[in-house]
Amino acid sequence: MSIETPGLEAIKAARVAGAAVVKHTPVVSSITLSGMVGGTIALKAENLQRTGAFKIRGAMNKIASLGAAAHGGVIAGSAGNHAQALAFAAKQFGVPCEILVPHGASVSKIAACLGYGATVTEFGDSVAEAVEAARQRSSESAMMFCHPFDDEVVVAGQGTLGLELVDDIDDLAHVVIPLGGGGLCAGAAVAIKSQRPNVRVTGVQAAVCAPYLGVSPPAGPIITLADGIAVRSPGEVTRPLIDHWVDDIVSVDEDVIADAMIFLLERAKLSVEGAGAACVAALLSGATTPATDGTTCLVLSGGNVDLGVIPGLIRRHESNAGRRLTVFARISDLPGTVASLLAVFAGVGADLIEVEHMREGLDLHVRETGLRATFAVRSSRHGAEAIDAAIAAGYDLRRDV
């Protein structure tokens, strides 16, 4: 594959192809991040894109490129953002769309595809199996197969994000982009460096699945918050582009991605999925550094967060920040004892979240019970004060995990 394909002109043509649908997403400054890392930091809010991610850029360009061949329909294997983008794009062009998803795929993402008018079929136990099944079905029908990233036309479409960065940031010096299969990172890098060759481009992978760094995931499903960039191998189209146009590739682990998601939610008021938060994670962890002169832009590639994940992230963050206190106590199994203990915590301003009696598997006296309680507190110091107050009141109590 030529490192010159797709080129800047192909990317500019892709912008025209998607102009009626693709949003020019905003770039917002982050004073908080700038102060934390010592550079000028901006966020490319692609999480506000149609269908919630950058994928609509490539999907629109791909279907536009098919011309009359798209009339028989398009097909893809996906369980995430590519599925939703292709379904939405197909609706805009008025062509049929079929999406193959693995068994157990997100109900909300399936519902989104159906809402855009696509047919959704469950097949296999992994995205890879669904992709191969879609490719096979395409060869046996009039439907055109659309790969999520390993396609020159798709790469050109994703590259339109890079055009927007060049247009919007006069002193652009460093761009940090999530790197999965490589469509977005490759396309944006071509668009940016073809016009401003001195801009540094860094790709970010999830540590559990970083094939561009030679890290292959274990067999079986890939479990990561950053599922949008979890691929097993680089693409044949994207690999040479990444090798030529991208300056650095780094990886970030799961805990830092979780911290980045909460940071964006709490401090930037942006709901961003794990893959989209990977660039913020790279900066927070020191995996990459901001430019010393000019603006460093972090691409928030998508915002399709599984809502079931959010409560766990919030609990983890509150615990790490010292705003959530869990204790275990051995107390008398007599009426009013629980209420008395909880009154001690209420008296120092600790707000009860949940309480659980625990009797099984503990060495307790006949008239004794275990109690596990979680409280909202103002800080680690406040939590320690609450524990001290309970111990001073005569309770056998300790901090629990």
Side-chain angles (χ1 to χ4, degrees):
M1 173 54 57
S2 170
I3 58 173
E4 305 300 329
T5 307
L8 182 60
E9 292 309 311
I11 296 172
K12 289 181 176 179
R15 176 152 63 178
V16 175
V21 171
V22 176
K23 291 182 179 180
H24 186 130
T25 51
V27 172
V28 296
S29 63
S30 177
I31 296 174
T32 302
L33 265 177
S34 298
M36 291 171 66
V37 301
T40 301
I41 309 300
L43 306 173
K44 175 63 168 172
E46 193 67 3
N47 58 307
L48 304 179
Q49 184 58 261
R50 291 189 188 278
T51 74
F54 72 94
K55 292 283 190 178
I56 189 63
R57 297 175 181 271
M60 287 294 295
N61 197 41
K62 179 62 178 178
I63 298 179
S65 74
L66 294 174
H71 295 166
V74 292
I75 186 169
S78 173
N81 292 334
H82 177 59
Q84 295 177 71
L86 190 66
F88 188 89
K91 182 178 181 180
Q92 306 311 304
F93 283 94
V95 301
C97 177
E98 182 175 354
I99 303 295
L100 273 64
V101 302
H103 294 293
S106 167
V107 173
S108 63
K109 290 176 181 178
I110 291 174
C113 292
L114 293 171
Y116 297 141
T119 299
V120 178
T121 304
E122 292 191 28
F123 183 93
D125 297 320
S126 69
V127 172
E129 290 182 30
V131 169
E132 286 310 308
R135 194 192 304 270
Q136 180 63 30
R137 177 161 167 71
S138 171
S139 69
E140 300 168 349
S141 69
M143 303 191 84
M144 303 300 294
F145 175 70
C146 299
H147 197 282
F149 60 85
D150 210 23
D151 183 308
E152 294 175 25
V153 177
V154 172
V155 172
Q158 318 303 27
T160 60
L161 180 144
L163 298 180
E164 293 175 15
L165 292 181
V166 171
D167 289 345
D168 294 346
I169 306 176
D170 292 336
D171 64 343
L172 185 64
H174 184 193
V175 182
V176 188
I177 309 173
L179 173 56
L184 175 63
C185 195
V190 172
I192 294 165
K193 294 178 81 72
S194 292
Q195 300 173 86
R196 299 187 190 175
N198 292 328
V199 173
R200 178 178 158 208
V201 176
T202 297
V204 183
Q205 298 211 279
V208 70
C209 185
Y212 282 93
L213 292 172
V215 179
S216 298
I222 303 171
I223 308 301
T224 175
L225 287 170
D227 58 345
I229 53 174
V231 300
R232 294 190 175 277
S233 60
E236 293 181 7
V237 170
T238 54
R239 182 60 190 257
L241 293 169
I242 294 294
D243 288 345
H244 180 76
W245 294 97
V246 176
D247 298 290
D248 304 295
I249 299 175
V250 300
S251 65
V252 289
D253 66 30
E254 201 79 347
D255 286 345
V256 187
I257 292 172
D259 292 339
M261 292 174 70
I262 289 297
F263 173 87
L264 288 164
L265 192 62
E266 186 174 48
R267 304 302 295 272
K269 315 308 175 190
L270 292 170
S271 178
V272 181
E273 63 191 80
C279 298
V280 175
L283 204 63
L284 291 175
S285 67
T288 191
T289 56
T292 55
D293 184 26
T295 295
T296 295
C297 184
L298 313 180
V299 176
L300 311 181
S301 58
N304 292 317
V305 185
D306 183 346
L307 295 181
V309 170
I310 299 298
L313 295 178
I314 292 173
R315 284 194 298 271
R316 177 183 178 278
H317 173 67
E318 289 179 341
S319 295
N320 290 343
R323 299 202 297 261
R324 191 179 185 92
L325 171 67
T326 300
V327 299
F328 175 78
R330 300 167 67 101
I331 61 175
S332 171
D333 195 13
L334 294 174
T337 307
V338 174
S340 297
L341 171 60
L342 297 181
V344 173
F345 282 88
V348 296
D351 186 20
L352 179 67
I353 296 175
E354 60 184 6
V355 63
E356 176 187 8
H357 279 280
M358 303 176 68
R359 292 187 173 88
E360 302 300 326
L362 299 173
D363 183 17
L364 300 170
H365 296 302
V366 174
R367 298 306 304 273
E368 195 175 44
T369 186
L371 191 78
R372 189 172 188 269
T374 301
F375 302 89
V377 292
R378 293 186 297 275
S379 64
S380 295
R381 181 177 179 180
H382 183 210
E385 291 172 352
I387 290 176
D388 289 345
I391 292 174
Y395 290 97
D396 179 6
L397 177 143
R398 61 176 170 78
R399 185 186 295 268
D400 199 16
V401 177

